[in-house]
Amino acid sequence: MTILILGGTAEARQLAAALGDRLAFAVTVSLAGRTAAPAPQPVPVRIGGFGGPEGLASYLRDQRIDALIDATHPYAAAISANAAEAAAVTGVKLLAMRRPPWAKVEGETWIDVASIADAVRALGETPRRVFVTLGRNELQPFAAAPQHYYVIRSVDPVDPPLDVPHATYLTARGPFAEGDDRALLERHRIEAIVAKNSGGAATYGKIAAARALGLPVVMLKRPVLPDVPSVETVDEVLSWLDHALTFSTARGV
Ligand code: NAP
């Protein structure tokens, strides 16, 4: 079976590693090309957009892909929609692997917002010290609130920097431990956090640290994703693929 994994997440890498040494599967991981030095992958990689759902459909046909696994980040809604559309028009089997969102626990203050502009408004007029963990290309709305002091963490440098007088930039790639994130929040005397509800363990440290320190989290709502078959774990994807392989072998396909 030829498999295309839409990646850009740790789970996609883990899935590729689990499939990489199985002879029944020829696996390629696709990355958008957002980060300058992506983490190494255990299987062949292709990089860059496909050119919308039509481009992805052409790729699936040209490369004779049997199964498409959408293992992208839960906030990468455009590529997930494209995957659903391309799978529908080509008849390629599609499975999404999606992390369940974090649930708010006792003692946490979450301010749920629908957009980054709403997140900026939720910070209020009074200057605050804010820790921001969004993508480096999503920060522009914060320029509308230059009264705050921002600590911004991203994988690659924010270039050009935000047009605000008080900002500190940190470049780092997860996973992040709770203890380290707590130390960071204390060092910068952070008063509020702006985050996505990414789910998973790798970036949960800041949420747990915020709870411990009694800090509010301005939480960006998850985008609506297409209604396609989906699972949560690498093991579930492997079972689905094994089932699909048995089925296609039985049909002699
Ligand atoms: P997006 O808004 O859903 O996608 C925008 C466009 O980028 C897509 O239409 C597609 O271009 C291209 N693209 C996205 N993912 C791709 C992939 N894996 N392979 C090839 N092309 C891809 O995506 P995004 O939110 O910018 O995220 C980009 C990548 O970063 C994703 O792979 C995602 O898993 C990863 N990531 C995202 C976040 C996040 O918060 N959004 C966080 C961590 C990692 P074409 O239409 O030209 O095909």
Side-chain angles (χ1 to χ4, degrees), residues 28-214:
T28 302
V29 166
S30 174
L31 301 176
R34 297 282 189 276
T35 51
Q41 299 282 341
V43 298
V45 176
R46 66 156 301 285
I47 297 183
F50 296 94
E54 302 81 12
L56 178 54
S58 300
Y59 182 92
L60 296 176
R61 285 194 197 98
D62 294 348
Q63 302 297 318
R64 299 178 176 277
I65 301 295
D66 298 307
L68 176 61
I69 309 295
D70 176 10
T72 57
H73 191 271
Y75 284 74
I79 187 69
S80 292
N82 292 355
E85 196 175 328
V89 298
T90 57
V92 170
K93 294 184 190 70
L94 168 65
L95 183 69
M97 175 166 59
R98 292 182 183 150
R99 293 177 205 157
W102 300 316
K104 190 166 83 164
V105 303
E106 180 95 26
E108 289 178 348
T109 305
W110 287 16
I111 301 154
D112 294 311
V113 293
S115 68
I116 296 174
D118 285 348
V120 174
R121 278 189 282 277
L123 294 173
E125 290 302 319
T126 309
R128 297 169 97 181
R129 301 175 69 86
V130 185
F131 181 44
V132 180
T133 57
L134 303 178
R136 67 186 165 127
N137 300 321
E138 302 171 309
L139 301 170
Q140 203 44 48
F142 290 92
Q147 71 275 25
H148 302 302
Y149 167 88
Y150 296 107
V151 176
I152 296 170
R153 182 166 70 192
S154 56
V155 174
D156 284 315
V158 178
D159 186 21
L162 215 48
D163 187 17
V164 296
H166 311 293
T168 295
Y169 298 94
L170 310 172
T171 50
R173 196 192 292 271
F176 300 105
E178 179 185 340
D180 293 341
D181 274 355
R182 180 174 175 155
L184 186 151
L185 297 175
E186 289 178 320
R187 189 163 63 248
H188 291 278
R189 292 177 284 118
I190 295 297
E191 297 166 297
I193 292 180
V194 180
K196 290 178 178 170
N197 192 339
S198 296
T203 58
Y204 188 69
K206 60 178 179 272
I207 307 297
R211 175 170 66 245
L213 296 171

Side-chain angles (χ1 to χ4, degrees), residues 67-69 93-95 236-245:
L68 176 61
I69 309 295
K93 294 184 190 70
L94 168 65
L95 183 69
E236 288 171 294
V237 179
L238 296 178
S239 303
W240 183 88
L241 284 170
D242 281 335
H243 184 264
L245 182 65

